Amino acid sequence: MAIVKHISEDDIKEVSLRYLRHYYRHQPREGAMILTSDLRGAGGIVADGYIAWPRADGTFFTATFEATDYAKRNELRFSLQRDLLWWDAVTVGALLVAAAFFVFHVTTKDLHFIATQPLLGIGSILGALMLTSVSMRFLLQPLRRYRYVYAVEQFKQYYADDQWISFSWDVFYGKHDPYFQELRRQVIRNGFGLLEVDQELKIKMHVAPARDDTFGYQRQVVQFFSEGEFSRRVQQQMQRFAKLPSWEKLFGWRTKLPYVDNLSNLWRYRRAHYQQMTISAMAMVLIAIVFAREYADQPIIYVDEEAYEQEMLVRGEELNIAKEREIVPPLDTLVILPLQKNVQPYLSFGLDPVRQAPVAAPAHTVDFLVYEPRIKNFVEYTCERLHGPASTSYLVRLGQFYDLALLKQKILELRGAGLPVNGLWAGCFFPGQQHYFIILEDLHATLEEAEQAADTAIPFLDTFLPKGELAIDRVNL
């Protein structure tokens, strides 16, 4: 059994630097070529190899490469970004449920059960979200969007004119290995170069870098340092940071060279999920709005007339049975019913005052009774208050009252309803009549004016006075 000899990462760096020096030997330059390895940059970026030279325009051409041996093969093998996959699935599911929920709310009546069964509505929404998200998770999983390759993602973090991936022959199981196929696809798509080092330390180029930047020159330019220089600068930044006030440590101050990152964490370049979170939150807000509108639209409950009639008959029989069982105490019992206070007389229940007229005429104590809103009380005047220069006027009178307290009560009720009225002793204008009546607040010069005023009082008769208790009289002042 032959023993497989793995190539070390240092061997890959040395061979790759020698190959790239030869590869770029004919490139125009204005100075010596710089070749180095094991450089560090901001954001935890690592360049296993670095090549640069000055150009005629004063800028530098830079090329970097990532060297990967068998021990670090996971840097080039893709992994499934499950967190991104789940967030995309939840976002798409929330959007689909929100859209369907909104369409049903606008076009159909299928969501009215929410008003009567809100718990069922909440359960339906959660079930739809869960089912849709799980379904989308399995539908989206085959997409290459979720295949994370560490070396490719690191190249996306910074700009260089050329970027290469150099790997040992034993990292993959041949050119048909799915991991190799996915790496090659991502390298071609992003414009990177791909080199393979065989057992004899010879280079095989699979893909050359693209001439134009496929990212549109939108990536940041990172300054690289050797590991010793990088450590020294990090210590200086930490010392400066320790001297800053607390508020500057919390707000607004960021070092150009961050602290040492965990380089063993190959997931440190995975994508954030802020956009998915925002879209999902907006979809949930739309669902909540539709739910609230549906819950507020309570249905109208119509009573079944036949069932209602039967229910009333049953209740009537129950009341009759209860009355039959009621025990009435005898008159000579010691149980005395308590005295009820503040009981209104029967005349206050809208009964016709004429029918309850007493046999004897009431005591004549007031001629003209006027309610003054300013003092919220009645003021009493004599009949001469209404007499003035000789003229003819018309008054509108309402009802007949033989009780002064009842007269005041009715005046307050009518005034409270919006009809301005006062009280008058009939004997002021009609000798021989022994009762009070209500008159409208104003006297009228013509019969037409009196009739118009009477029309405004007619709607109040059904509620406060019996029908027919309205008349227009001509009086001489």
Side-chain angles (χ1 to χ4, degrees):
M1 181 177 178
I3 300 175
V4 178
K5 181 180 180 181
H6 297 292
I7 303 175
S8 66
E9 183 179 352
D10 292 335
D11 292 337
I12 298 173
K13 294 175 185 178
E14 181 180 354
V15 173
S16 299
L17 282 174
R18 187 165 57 245
Y19 175 84
L20 293 177
R21 180 177 183 178
H22 179 77
Y23 180 82
Y24 291 115
R25 69 185 184 279
H26 297 301
Q27 293 291 331
R29 59 180 182 269
E30 296 295 325
M33 185 179 294
I34 302 173
L35 293 90
T36 185
S37 60
D38 299 326
L39 300 182
R40 292 286 306 276
I45 295 174
V46 177
D48 292 333
Y50 179 85
I51 302 174
W53 64 82
R55 290 184 286 204
D57 58 359
T59 61
F60 270 80
F61 177 92
T62 59
T64 59
F65 67 85
E66 173 72 24
T68 304
D69 59 3
Y70 179 81
K72 295 184 177 181
R73 58 189 179 277
N74 289 333
E75 293 179 349
L76 303 183
R77 295 187 175 188
F78 73 87
S79 302
L80 185 64
Q81 295 189 82
R82 301 183 186 277
D83 52 348
L84 179 62
L85 174 60
W86 271 113
W87 270 112
D88 284 354
V90 170
T91 302
V92 175
L95 287 175
L96 291 176
V97 173
F101 209 50
F102 180 76
V103 170
F104 283 139
H105 171 67
V106 174
T107 61
T108 68
K109 306 294 183 181
D110 297 336
L111 299 178
H112 280 185
F113 70 93
I114 292 177
T116 55
Q117 297 176 304
L119 293 180
L120 178 60
I122 295 175
S124 301
I125 294 173
L126 295 178
L129 287 173
M130 184 179 299
L131 179 62
T132 309
S133 299
V134 172
S135 301
M136 293 307 304
R137 189 255 187 238
F138 289 101
L139 289 176
L140 296 175
Q141 180 175 342
L143 299 181
R144 289 192 169 97
R145 165 184 171 85
Y146 308 105
R147 297 183 179 182
Y148 175 92
V149 178
Y150 163 77
V152 174
E153 295 300 325
Q154 180 173 235
F155 281 165
K156 292 179 182 180
Q157 306 303 313
Y158 68 95
Y159 171 79
D161 294 282
D162 285 346
Q163 291 169 303
W164 300 81
I165 293 177
S166 181
F167 65 94
S168 172
W169 64 273
D170 50 2
V171 171
F172 300 108
Y173 300 105
K175 63 180 181 179
H176 299 293
D177 188 341
Y179 290 107
F180 176 76
Q181 293 293 328
E182 179 61 26
L183 175 64
R184 187 174 185 275
R185 184 194 69 82
Q186 293 196 22
V187 164
I188 295 174
R189 180 180 179 183
N190 293 283
F192 305 144
L194 187 62
L195 302 175
E196 179 182 359
V197 182
D198 62 13
Q199 290 176 308
E200 298 178 358
L201 299 182
K202 295 181 179 180
I203 295 289
K204 176 183 179 181
M205 184 173 64
H206 291 277
V207 180
R211 293 186 178 181
D212 297 325
D213 186 8
T214 58
F215 299 93
Y217 301 97
Q218 296 180 354
R219 294 176 297 173
Q220 64 176 343
V221 177
V222 176
Q223 185 178 6
F224 288 98
F225 305 93
S226 64
E227 291 188 352
E229 178 67 14
F230 184 84
S231 300
R232 186 181 65 81
R233 288 176 176 266
V234 168
Q235 291 177 0
Q236 291 178 354
Q237 294 289 359
M238 293 179 67
Q239 292 174 0
R240 289 178 55 193
F241 183 78
K243 297 178 181 179
L244 289 175
S246 299
W247 65 273
E248 287 193 25
K249 293 179 181 179
L250 295 175
F251 306 104
W253 187 86
R254 297 180 61 186
T255 57
K256 295 182 179 179
L257 196 63
Y259 301 124
V260 179
D261 296 275
N262 183 11
L263 300 182
S264 62
N265 179 19
L266 301 182
W267 288 97
R268 61 182 181 272
Y269 300 123
R270 59 186 174 184
R271 301 178 185 178
H273 315 124
Y274 301 118
Q275 294 181 349
Q276 291 88 335
M277 293 178 183
T278 302
I279 296 173
S280 299
M282 294 172 63
M284 295 304 297
V285 169
L286 177 59
I287 293 174
I289 292 174
V290 174
F291 185 91
R293 290 176 61 88
E294 288 289 345
Y295 182 75
D297 188 14
Q298 294 290 332
I300 300 175
I301 302 175
Y302 295 93
V303 179
D304 187 347
E305 295 183 1
E306 296 182 358
Y308 179 76
E309 184 178 355
Q310 294 295 328
E311 183 180 356
M312 292 299 102
L313 291 175
V314 172
R315 291 188 179 182
E317 293 179 358
E318 293 176 352
L319 289 174
N320 292 333
I321 295 174
K323 288 182 179 180
E324 292 176 358
R325 294 179 177 179
E326 185 179 359
I327 301 176
V328 180
L331 295 178
D332 57 351
T333 180
L334 295 177
V335 180
I336 301 176
L337 297 178
L339 177 64
Q340 298 182 3
K341 298 181 179 180
N342 300 325
V343 177
Q344 295 182 353
Y346 66 91
L347 293 176
S348 64
F349 289 93
L351 302 177
D352 187 353
V354 176
R355 296 177 182 174
Q356 285 82 34
V359 176
H364 176 208
T365 58
V366 179
D367 289 340
F368 186 26
L369 189 65
V370 177
Y371 183 79
E372 290 290 345
R374 292 176 298 176
I375 62 175
K376 296 183 180 180
N377 202 351
F378 290 95
V379 180
E380 301 174 0
Y381 298 97
T382 61
C383 294
E384 285 75 12
R385 177 81 175 189
L386 297 172
H387 294 282
S391 63
T392 301
S393 298
Y394 296 87
L395 62 82
V396 180
R397 59 185 174 88
L398 308 172
Q400 295 181 11
F401 298 88
Y402 296 91
D403 183 75
L404 187 59
L406 180 58
L407 174 67
K408 292 181 179 181
Q409 178 184 339
K410 289 297 179 182
I411 291 174
L412 293 176
E413 290 178 0
L414 289 171
R415 280 186 168 271
L419 185 64
V421 294
N422 292 311
L424 183 64
W425 175 252
C428 289
F429 291 109
F430 310 104
Q433 295 189 13
Q434 303 294 314
H435 60 80
Y436 294 100
F437 59 78
I438 294 174
I439 64 170
L440 296 185
E441 199 169 39
D442 298 324
L443 298 179
H444 306 281
T446 64
L447 179 60
E448 290 76 9
E449 294 180 1
E451 290 177 345
Q452 293 178 2
D455 291 338
T456 63
I458 290 175
F460 296 89
L461 295 181
D462 293 338
T463 304
F464 299 98
L465 294 171
K467 294 181 179 180
E469 291 296 330
L470 182 146
I472 299 176
D473 294 303
R474 177 179 175 179
V475 295
N476 293 320
L477 300 180

